[in-house]
Amino acid sequence: MNATIKGAVIGAIITGVLSIAGTVAATAMAKDQGEQETINQLNSQIANVNGDNNTVTINSVDDLINEYKELTAENKLLVSQNTEYSNELEETKSRLAEYENQADSKVQELEQQLNDKPDVQFRNIGLSIEGEDIPINAVDSSVIIHNRTYYSEEFIKSLIGSDTNLSVQDDRMYVGKIIKEKSYLSDEWVLDSRHTVSLNSVTDSYGNVHTNALIFDGGQCSIIYNLNGEYSLLKCNIAIRDNADMERTGVLTIKADDTVVYTSPVLTKTTAPFSETDIPISNCSLLTIEYNASSSYNDCILDEIVIYN
């Protein structure tokens, strides 16, 4: 419907209302003038509204009122729906703004992660041991991260040899035997000792310096430790002190409780320093180390004495 027709309709409604008012007045006059005169006057009150030759005729006041009520109700419904749609639109805008903020935050986080990405340089490194080329996969066998160089597991295994076990447990790499619990024997409680002394530094007959060493400095020496049955193995380094006489000899013995678990070869000044590992002390309660020498002046040195499981 164009604007002219809309105007005509609105004008018709207004004019119709006026006509209704006139009709009501004419009805009052009908009491004196008679029925026929009243009808004639009502017919004369039918309104013609010109607008593109359109005529709007109002025949019933009740119809007009009902239509007005319907229009009013529809208008209220439209206003309510418009408010609801407006609220939904605002809520949607708010959610979109929140999503945009979250997206911006995530983008910033990802950008920060990219900026924090370490400088990584892979290198193809082959392996040669004592002039012999070792067949390994050299592709990306080494990587430099923050100026620190790392090598592949295959590379490391080739370095230590196939007869040596390599494993990772509890965030620690073990080469050889896995020792999860260990303690230095010097940290354990001493029940009794005879002709033994601890020195921070001592030199053996081959000129090697030993630190935190246990020295047996007599003909008949011994020391007893309480281990509370907590350890099963022992290892240590053994040597003869530099001031020993050439003709002197001695033998070192280790006992787990009352059982002899280790006996050394005959020790002299010419005995080269050596190491013993995995001496079975069998979770003993008392560990006894004895050194029996032909006489003094053939002191025995023990260092790096470790008990473990």
Side-chain angles (χ1 to χ4, degrees), residues 18-150:
L18 294 176
S19 298
I20 292 169
T23 301
V24 173
T27 303
M29 294 171 59
K31 294 179 179 180
D32 298 325
Q33 297 177 2
E35 181 179 0
Q36 185 60 44
E37 185 180 351
T38 300
I39 293 173
N40 293 335
Q41 187 170 356
L42 285 173
N43 289 331
S44 70
Q45 295 300 321
I46 294 175
N48 291 325
V49 179
N50 292 325
D52 292 341
N53 298 319
N54 291 299
T55 299
V56 179
T57 303
I58 302 175
N59 296 316
S60 171
V61 174
D62 290 337
D63 290 343
L64 177 62
I65 293 173
N66 290 335
E67 289 178 2
Y68 175 78
K69 289 181 178 180
E70 289 177 2
L71 289 173
T72 302
E74 289 178 0
N75 181 63
K76 288 182 179 180
L77 177 61
L78 290 173
V79 171
S80 176
Q81 289 178 341
N82 183 62
T83 302
E84 181 181 351
Y85 294 153
S86 177
N87 292 338
E88 290 180 357
L89 178 60
E90 291 300 323
E91 183 178 354
T92 301
K93 288 181 178 180
S94 177
R95 290 179 180 177
L96 286 175
E98 182 180 353
Y99 293 152
E100 289 176 356
N101 292 335
Q102 292 177 353
D104 290 341
S105 177
K106 189 63 177 180
V107 169
Q108 292 177 2
E109 179 183 349
L110 293 174
E111 289 177 347
Q112 184 63 40
Q113 290 178 0
L114 288 175
N115 293 333
D116 294 340
K117 184 178 180 180
D119 181 25
V120 178
Q121 302 177 35
F122 285 94
R123 300 179 64 190
N124 301 335
I125 302 295
L127 178 63
S128 176
I129 299 177
E130 299 294 336
E132 179 182 354
D133 289 338
I134 307 300
I136 66 168
N137 183 6
V139 178
D140 294 339
S141 60
S142 175
V143 60
I144 301 174
I145 304 176
H146 290 320
N147 296 322
R148 297 186 66 180
T149 303
Y150 301 86

Side-chain angles (χ1 to χ4, degrees), residues 277-289:
T277 61
D278 294 347
I279 298 173
I281 58 176
S282 305
N283 298 96
C284 62
S285 295
L286 300 180
L287 179 71
T288 303
I289 303 176

